[in-house]
Amino acid sequence: MKIKKRFTSAIAAVFLVSLGSVSINAISAFSPLPQTAQAQTTYCKNRSFTAKALFKVNVRADRSTSSPIVAVLNPGTYQFSTWEEGQSIPDSWTGQPDNKWYKLADGRGWVASAVIAGYPPQGCPINVSVYQDPLKGKGTITQRPGGATSHTGRAQYAIDFGTPIGTPVYAMRAGTVVKLEDRFADTGGGEANKDKANFIAIEHVESNGSRVRSGYVHLQRGFISKTGIKIGQQVQAGQLIGYSGNSGWSTNPHLHVEVHIPNANGTFGQTIPFSIQGRY
Ligand SMILES: [Zn+2]
């Protein structure tokens, strides 16, 4: 399906330029291309993804062409945070009805899937818990689960956000602070510095009684005194717990977050898949 969009993009662009229009309503004048029936596809929500504007497209305040235009995207690649159902519009390339609207990650508004090339991720993990954003919109994802740099083995399902030292870090879920470390300098470094990361671990009780922990790693030295956080403290989701840094195995200032099942000795155990609302 993606190939078909690239295939006709030049025609679409010429058509719009000749009209001098950026209205997505104009695009429905295209005659649909023949295509085979598509299988029903599940597109994941609350997962970040990119899509390409191949010509100028409107950004709407809400998921309808009757909603005000708040911006216009020039051709290029854009980051989206999720999708939601909205007004159904004929797809610019196939003519098939498409009710998906993509939410711009920068919060400016919504773009109809029907006029932009690219799709949200598919194959959503089942029973994955959705956690709150530990940076409340700051930073950008620099390494995903399975990332070759360091998200393999125990850390398979971790997520990294590149963000300047000192960015506030918030609890992703309510729980109890069980581990704290903040002795190490924010010098960064390679794998040799693996055991020199400052971090917080917060324990959460699942509905079946099992315990998992969220971990926030590479924090800024001194975050404990700055926040007053203590072992045994109960924290709420969204509560300030620390500041991002560059301690430990870290080549650039970033926040590493993960959800893991603690080992028998209480140390960082195997990570499990999780989702971060609006980010991943
Ligand atoms: Zn990481």
Side-chain angles (χ1 to χ4, degrees):
M1 294 205 300
K2 282 177 179 155
I3 289 164
K4 122 224 139 185
K5 288 203 170 186
R6 267 185 239 119
F7 224 53
T8 52
S9 62
I11 305 166
V14 167
F15 182 82
L16 279 179
V17 167
S18 67
L19 273 182
S21 168
V22 292
S23 163
I24 64 167
N25 301 317
I27 300 161
S28 60
F30 280 112
S31 51
L33 292 177
Q35 63 158 12
T36 53
Q38 294 168 14
Q40 196 67 34
T41 309
T42 304
Y43 294 105
C44 308
K45 290 182 176 175
N46 295 316
R47 293 276 166 144
S48 65
F49 62 99
T50 58
K52 277 187 181 172
L54 300 173
F55 40 84
K56 285 187 172 187
V57 296
N58 291 329
V59 180
R60 303 276 181 174
D62 207 350
R63 292 156 285 161
S64 161
T65 55
S66 58
S67 179
I69 296 170
V70 292
V72 176
L73 299 184
N74 286 315
T77 301
Y78 295 90
Q79 185 87 28
F80 297 89
S81 57
T82 190
W83 74 276
E84 291 288 344
E85 292 83 358
Q87 180 191 2
S88 186
I89 295 167
D91 182 273
S92 304
W93 296 271
T94 66
Q96 298 298 307
D98 185 349
N99 70 348
K100 293 190 297 300
W101 286 74
Y102 298 169
K103 187 178 188 183
L104 275 169
D106 62 19
R108 279 186 291 171
W110 300 82
V111 177
S113 161
V115 297
I116 196 160
Y119 296 92
Q122 300 176 29
C124 319
I126 296 163
N127 292 331
V128 164
S129 297
V130 179
Y131 285 66
Q132 290 191 18
D133 184 350
L135 293 173
K136 297 194 176 175
K138 300 276 174 58
T140 26
I141 292 179
T142 51
Q143 193 184 183
R144 292 162 182 269
T149 309
S150 57
H151 291 176
T152 54
R154 189 204 71 78
Q156 167 80 31
Y157 295 107
I159 301 167
D160 286 344
F161 292 90
T163 192
I165 293 176
T167 308
V169 174
Y170 305 93
M172 298 192 289
R173 179 177 170 184
T176 309
V177 178
V178 290
K179 275 184 177 291
L180 288 172
E181 174 59 75
D182 92 338
R183 287 177 296 162
F184 300 112
D186 292 280
T187 53
E191 193 168 358
N193 271 12
K194 200 174 176 177
D195 298 325
K196 293 182 176 167
N198 302 323
F199 65 87
I200 302 176
I202 299 175
E203 190 158 285
H204 315 285
V205 182
E206 302 282 49
S207 52
N208 65 3
S210 67
R211 288 162 193 274
V212 298
R213 292 178 180 181
S214 55
Y216 312 74
V217 185
H218 313 296
L219 299 179
Q220 184 180 26
R221 180 154 70 181
F223 77 87
I224 295 178
S225 61
K226 272 174 92 175
T227 57
I229 197 149
K230 292 181 179 65
I231 298 275
Q233 184 180 340
Q234 306 292 312
V235 294
Q236 298 308 309
Q239 184 173 333
L240 178 71
I241 53 172
Y243 294 89
S244 71
N246 195 32
S247 55
W249 179 8
S250 178
T251 45
N252 278 301
H254 77 286
L255 174 69
H256 164 115
V257 287
E258 62 176 58
V259 177
H260 62 260
I261 299 165
N263 285 333
N265 59 5
T267 59
F268 281 60
Q270 178 61 47
T271 52
I272 58 172
F274 72 113
S275 176
I276 298 176
Q277 184 143 34
R279 303 300 291 272
Y280 181 82

